[in-house]
Amino acid sequence: MELPAVLRQAVDRLLEGTPLAELERAAGILSSRYRAEIRDGRLHLDDRLAVKAYLATRLPATYAAVRTSLESVAELRPDFAPRTLLDLGSGPGTVLWAASDCWATLREAVHVEASPVARDIGATLARDMAVADARWLAGDVTGNLTNLAKADLVTLSYVLDEIDPKAISLLVGRLWALTEDTLVIVEPGTPAGWSRILTARQRLIDDGARLVAPCPHASPCPIAAPDWCHFARRVARSRLHRLAKGADVPWEDEKYVFIAASRHAGEGSAARVIAPPRAAKGMITLKLCCGDGHVADRIVTKRQGDVFRTARRLEWGDATPMDLGEA
Ligand SMILES: C[S@@+](CC[C@H](N)C(=O)[O-])C[C@H]1O[C@@H](n2cnc3c(N)ncnc32)[C@H](O)[C@@H]1O
């Protein structure tokens, strides 16, 4: 996946003239702060260079994770046509771009972001996009959020890892109260990210939300450590991205995990593919999280005709359109 062309060009203009050595150094600091999940009271994106490093090295990956998560919602909620977005911890506005790419119905977006530089850069980038009314508010997402209006779509992407774990459940409860229709929370696809998503998932179930994706059920998560639920999306790396990261390969696989919950029932899926499918001659093995709340390895063979043809097209992260019976 790549950034939309308009966003890519806007990012290129913003990065123009930034010395590569400075970008590389800032990208290194950013990456080590994220990797170590440092919570020292300082925002990771607290200066212009850090936000530029984010644009060059992280935005394409978080965009891909968010866009794919939203697509999973759109697939199972074809009736959902959000007009309003409330995005918390917006950074440079990643979700705005992904959501407006997913839903052309989007008209208004409110962003809550603590970093003044991230707000400024997000607003600058958003000048090039079609959403009529995009506002950027200074604010702390761990506050009571009572000044905010409800929105059709509420989002929190790659933010929980910067928050005190003890505050997650309360924050998710507040976000759910602000959700007219659907709430989507995205996190890095690490065991720690998954654990935070499990906390969010439980809070949403307790508050009566209907899970849309990726879970095909609201039973306790059947995945047990050392395994963890996550997905991956391949992301194209620009030349600058490669240089800033000192990387040779023109792509990277972004691992992510998410939870989407709604006030309305979706179409539901029979199961979700939770690992890369394994293909052998005339046979495919799919690891599925099933609607009955269990994980199962399903072997589908060529003898199963249509079921095999469907199974052959499935990828890691896909919802299965039918219950793939045993061979
Ligand atoms: C990793 S960035 C994610 C940006 C964007 N949502 C994305 O997915 O690319 C996390 C953002 O959350 C913001 N943030 C962290 N803690 C916050 C808080 N307590 N209140 C408001 N914003 C916060 C940071 O400043 C940063 O811009």
Side-chain angles (χ1 to χ4, degrees):
M1 184 177 279
E2 288 190 45
L3 293 178
V6 181
L7 175 57
R8 215 174 48 234
Q9 286 152 11
V11 166
D12 286 348
R13 278 198 299 278
L14 255 164
L15 295 180
E16 224 170 61
T18 311
L20 184 60
E22 282 183 25
L23 208 54
E24 214 174 338
R25 192 165 36 81
I29 295 170
L30 199 58
S31 166
S32 56
R33 283 181 67 84
Y34 280 129
R35 210 164 280 154
E37 298 198 347
I38 290 171
R39 295 184 196 97
D40 57 3
R42 251 191 64 206
L43 292 168
H44 300 331
L45 302 186
D46 64 353
D47 65 67
R48 212 165 179 81
L49 199 56
V51 181
K52 284 187 172 185
Y54 191 85
L55 294 180
T57 62
R58 288 300 297 147
L59 177 67
T62 61
Y63 175 87
V66 175
R67 183 66 185 83
T68 313
S69 304
L70 298 181
E71 193 59 45
S72 303
V73 174
E75 193 187 355
L76 297 173
R77 284 287 316 281
D79 59 315
F80 182 42
R83 290 182 61 80
T84 53
L85 165 71
L86 170 62
D87 179 44
L88 293 297
S90 315
T94 319
V95 172
L96 174 65
W97 288 88
S100 63
D101 193 54
C102 192
W103 290 289
T105 48
L106 210 63
R107 291 290 171 271
E108 288 174 40
V110 171
H111 302 87
V112 179
E113 168 56 55
S115 157
V117 199
R119 287 197 304 274
D120 179 49
I121 288 187
T124 304
L125 293 173
R127 270 186 223 135
D128 286 335
M129 68 139 33
V131 171
D133 182 5
R135 280 178 293 145
W136 299 78
L137 308 180
D140 179 351
V141 302
T142 62
N144 60 25
L145 309 180
T146 47
N147 60 325
L148 300 172
K150 288 185 172 187
D152 298 335
L153 174 65
V154 177
T155 51
L156 186 77
S157 160
Y158 286 79
V159 180
L160 286 182
D161 61 338
E162 296 185 32
I163 302 274
D164 179 352
K166 292 196 283 300
I168 292 177
S169 182
L170 180 60
L171 167 59
V172 172
R174 285 174 174 155
L175 296 187
W176 179 242
L178 287 166
T179 304
E180 287 282 8
D181 192 301
T182 295
L183 169 65
V184 182
I185 302 176
V186 187
E187 275 288 284
T190 57
W194 173 57
S195 158
R196 291 187 284 267
I197 289 290
L198 284 184
T199 304
R201 179 184 191 269
Q202 192 54 53
R203 175 64 195 239
L204 289 166
I205 292 170
D206 292 346
D207 285 4
R210 297 167 191 253
L211 302 185
V212 179
C215 317
H217 60 83
S219 307
C221 177
I223 300 173
D227 196 6
W228 72 98
C229 184
H230 65 290
F231 307 99
R233 184 77 210 208
R234 186 150 289 189
V235 182
R237 279 179 173 149
S238 66
R239 187 175 157 274
L240 191 62
H241 185 166
R242 267 180 282 155
L243 291 173
K245 268 197 164 168
D248 300 325
V249 196
W251 49 263
E252 66 186 357
D253 288 323
E254 174 67 7
K255 294 195 174 79
Y256 67 98
V257 57
F258 72 104
I259 189 79
S262 174
R263 296 199 180 272
H264 305 283
E267 292 191 345
S269 61
R272 186 158 305 262
V273 182
I274 56 168
R278 283 169 284 143
K281 198 165 187 300
M283 163 196 287
I284 292 163
T285 306
L286 295 168
K287 186 174 181 182
L288 299 179
C289 188
C290 302
D292 65 3
H294 291 93
V295 168
D297 269 333
R298 284 267 193 273
I299 298 169
V300 184
T301 68
K302 217 170 179 175
R303 279 192 294 124
Q304 290 171 276
D306 281 350
V307 177
F308 180 74
R309 278 186 280 282
T310 300
R312 208 169 43 181
R313 283 194 298 271
L314 289 173
E315 293 180 9
W316 184 12
D318 282 352
T320 64
M322 60 172 91
D323 194 5
L324 303 165
E326 290 287 1

